[in-house]
Amino acid sequence: MTIRRLTAEIAQRFLEDPQAVDMSSFTQIEEAAAKAFRYHEGVLNLDGVRRLSRKSVQEIANFWGHLSLGGLKAISTSDARQLAKNKKHLHLDGLKSLSLQVAGELAKHRGEVLSLNGLRRINPEVARKLSRHWGHLYLNGLASLSERAAKELAKHRYALFLDGLVSLPYDQAKQLASGSSLSLAGVASLSDDAAAALGTHTDWLFLGGLSKITAQAAEGLANHSGTVLALGLVRMSAEVAGALARHKGDLQLNKLTSISTSAARALAKHQGYLSLRGLRRLSDDAADAFRSHRYDLALNSVSRLSDFAIDALASRKGNFGKETMLWLGVKELSDAGAKSLVQHRGALFLDHLKTLSAAAARALAKHDYLSLDGLTSLSDATARALSRQSGGRAHTLSLNGLQALSPGSARALGKHGGVLSLDGLTELSAAAAEGLAQHEGSVSLRGLKTVSDEVAARLATARTIVTGSVQEQVDEHRSPV
């Protein structure tokens, strides 16, 4: 094995520019290099390192960001005690087993994530120790789980990831159902009894690998009262759809690529956010069936919809008159379709549109929140139409896909009075900057990496400009209050 030593000089170069150095390629780290990372934030991937000195562990434990040490095959109790000081994400995915003492120390980690995806087995005693961890716990390497270990892990109060499990017997399902947020993305099949057990779960539940279920299993899962139920169904009968429609909360069925009219009619009765982000096709009849759905609806991947289908989806009324969010994946939108969308009350996401006529933009501009992040260019006429979005500063227009902005379009958008997001722009001319500076609301230009002094000076005259990495340069040109 080729030895590559991480020195203090290389560490400093990484801290100045994280993209300049592949940190995962180093197999050894000098103590001075470990010390250089103290109190810094970001992502530090040292998966190539096989061993760390005690001093290096003490130093690197004070790194404030996401720390990955996947190359470590074993750690001592004292090393675990030091690494538990990490305040963000701690990844130790190279560990194949844990002693009770090491598990107890790692459980004291108070960061957001503790990842131990290398563990292949876990006994109830170790599970009991890890259940005390205050943060999300990843154990995706476990291929099986005893009932006693499941009972202990269910005591964990944060999200638990067990995506390596491919089956879930009833006894284990019953134990895990008493816990908090639960990810079981590897479970490919579920008995009716196990589904009924998981139906008693009261937090976020992810079953993204579950490609098919019986109607009885769907009935059991529908009793789930957590905030989100996510299933990996690739096809769905009207009977299963009707059962799942009884679920109260967000329902995610993002692996469905098509849906029958009868299934759509049944699913439209669901009382909550309905995510069908994987759906590729939607017939007019199915769209018409969704007309009665009263909550947020995501159809991000349906690239073609007839004007009739758009009208049906836009005419949905929110429950008790509330606004709803609507995501459509259409790549083209006729002027008639845009006029139909005026009916929709709530945020509208059309992030797959590649072109937009001025007439269509004029109709869409009546929305309070409009996202058009798929547009890479914008004609001056379309920009003028979009700038008529009314309602004052509470209204949002997102155009984060734009790669260039002409002075004419910038002047037009400068008359938009709400929140304007242009985070995809990486450069801006002085004339365009002058146009945007007239905007009376908030403008986001987080994608700008460098600007001339002339551009910075013009942006500095704006009421509210958020420019990311060039913010300091812009602020230098602001007049003192």
Side-chain angles (χ1 to χ4, degrees):
M1 181 182 70
T2 303
I3 296 176
R4 295 198 65 209
R5 184 172 285 105
L6 177 57
T7 65
E9 291 75 19
I10 297 175
Q12 190 58 45
R13 196 191 324 155
F14 168 77
L15 292 172
E16 293 171 357
D17 182 6
Q19 304 302 317
V21 184
D22 178 11
M23 301 300 284
S24 66
S25 65
F26 295 98
T27 59
Q28 295 181 359
I29 180 170
E30 294 181 353
E31 291 179 357
K35 187 175 182 178
F37 295 120
R38 286 169 59 96
Y39 313 128
H40 282 279
E41 298 183 11
V43 178
L44 182 56
N45 183 343
L46 295 173
D47 286 345
V49 174
R50 299 291 184 265
R51 283 187 299 278
L52 283 172
S53 69
R54 179 169 296 184
K55 182 64 174 176
S56 293
V57 170
Q58 291 174 347
E59 298 291 357
I60 212 163
N62 289 306
F63 179 69
W64 283 350
H66 303 340
L67 176 61
S68 184
L69 295 166
L72 300 182
K73 303 304 179 184
I75 58 173
S76 66
T77 304
S78 61
D79 286 349
R81 186 178 302 118
Q82 292 297 324
L83 291 173
K85 295 177 182 178
N86 172 271
K87 303 300 183 185
K88 293 288 186 178
H89 293 201
L90 178 60
H91 294 256
L92 298 169
D93 294 332
L95 302 180
K96 297 294 189 290
S97 61
L98 289 182
S99 68
L100 275 177
Q101 293 76 15
V102 168
E105 294 299 335
L106 290 178
K108 297 175 184 177
H109 177 249
R110 292 298 181 263
E112 299 168 0
V113 167
L114 175 60
S115 180
L116 299 167
N117 288 330
L119 297 184
R120 296 294 179 260
R121 290 180 293 281
I122 189 169
N123 62 46
E125 291 74 22
V126 169
R128 183 182 304 119
K129 293 284 188 182
L130 292 178
S131 70
R132 298 168 185 166
H133 175 251
W134 286 15
H136 305 323
L137 181 60
Y138 287 72
L139 298 171
N140 291 329
L142 297 177
S144 62
L145 194 65
S146 70
E147 181 183 354
R148 286 181 59 207
K151 181 178 181 179
E152 296 299 337
L153 287 177
K155 297 174 183 177
H156 185 251
R157 294 295 88 191
Y158 297 84
L160 176 62
F161 292 79
L162 298 169
D163 295 341
L165 301 180
V166 295
S167 62
L168 192 68
Y170 167 77
D171 290 337
Q172 284 82 335
K174 182 179 179 181
Q175 297 297 340
L176 291 174
S178 65
S180 297
S181 299
L182 181 61
S183 179
L184 298 164
V187 173
S189 62
L190 203 62
S191 69
D192 295 346
D193 287 344
L198 288 178
T200 65
H201 185 254
T202 59
D203 211 324
W204 182 89
L205 178 61
F206 185 78
L207 291 162
L210 193 62
S211 59
K212 59 181 179 180
I213 53 174
T214 65
Q216 187 175 342
E219 290 280 358
L221 289 172
N223 293 321
H224 175 260
S225 59
T227 54
V228 177
L229 175 62
L231 305 176
L233 303 182
V234 295
R235 62 181 62 87
M236 185 172 59
S237 67
E239 190 177 9
V240 168
L244 291 177
R246 294 194 305 102
H247 175 257
K248 301 294 192 297
D250 294 353
L251 181 60
Q252 298 181 9
L253 301 169
N254 292 327
K255 290 190 178 180
L256 283 177
T257 57
S258 61
I259 189 169
S260 67
T261 301
S262 57
R265 187 175 296 113
L267 208 53
K269 298 175 183 177
H270 177 251
Q271 298 180 29
Y273 165 56
L274 179 59
S275 180
L276 300 169
R277 293 177 183 270
L279 213 61
R280 303 292 180 185
R281 300 177 300 280
L282 190 69
S283 69
D284 286 356
D285 288 342
D288 194 45
F290 279 125
R291 194 188 296 265
S292 61
H293 187 251
R294 303 298 186 196
Y295 299 83
D296 300 340
L297 178 62
L299 298 166
N300 304 58
S301 298
V302 180
S303 58
R304 290 186 179 181
L305 286 171
S306 70
D307 288 346
F308 174 86
I310 290 176
D311 182 75
L313 295 170
S315 67
R316 298 177 319 118
K317 305 301 181 184
N319 200 38
F320 300 113
K322 293 181 179 179
E323 294 186 347
T324 65
M325 292 188 283
L326 178 62
W327 289 261
L328 298 179
V330 291
K331 295 181 179 180
E332 297 179 353
L333 183 65
S334 69
D335 294 350
K339 290 178 181 177
S340 291
L341 285 171
V342 173
Q343 304 171 75
H344 173 68
R345 293 187 65 247
L348 179 62
F349 299 82
L350 299 170
D351 293 330
H352 293 267
L353 280 181
K354 301 303 179 185
T355 60
L356 187 66
S357 71
R362 196 171 297 112
L364 294 178
K366 296 177 182 179
H367 280 279
D368 291 352
Y369 189 111
L370 178 62
S371 182
L372 299 167
D373 289 346
L375 297 178
T376 57
S377 61
L378 199 65
S379 70
D380 292 356
T382 299
R384 285 193 295 272
L386 289 174
S387 69
R388 296 175 184 174
Q389 188 185 27
S390 60
R393 295 177 189 171
H395 286 221
T396 296
L397 175 61
S398 183
L399 295 165
N400 289 328
L402 291 186
Q403 298 174 359
L405 191 65
S406 71
S409 292
R411 283 193 297 272
L413 293 176
K415 297 176 181 178
H416 174 264
V419 177
L420 177 63
S421 187
L422 300 166
D423 290 341
L425 293 176
T426 57
E427 56 185 28
L428 197 65
S429 69
E434 184 176 14
L436 289 178
Q438 306 306 311
H439 193 275
E440 294 187 355
S442 172
V443 181
S444 181
L445 295 163
R446 296 179 187 276
L448 294 180
K449 302 302 180 186
T450 180
V451 295
S452 66
D453 284 343
E454 184 181 9
V455 169
R458 296 190 182 189
L459 290 178
T461 64
R463 182 186 297 269
T464 305
I465 291 278
V466 180
T467 54
S469 59
V470 299
Q471 187 69 54
E472 185 175 342
Q473 185 181 354
V474 172
D475 290 343
E476 289 176 355
H477 290 271
R478 294 191 187 280
S479 301
V481 178

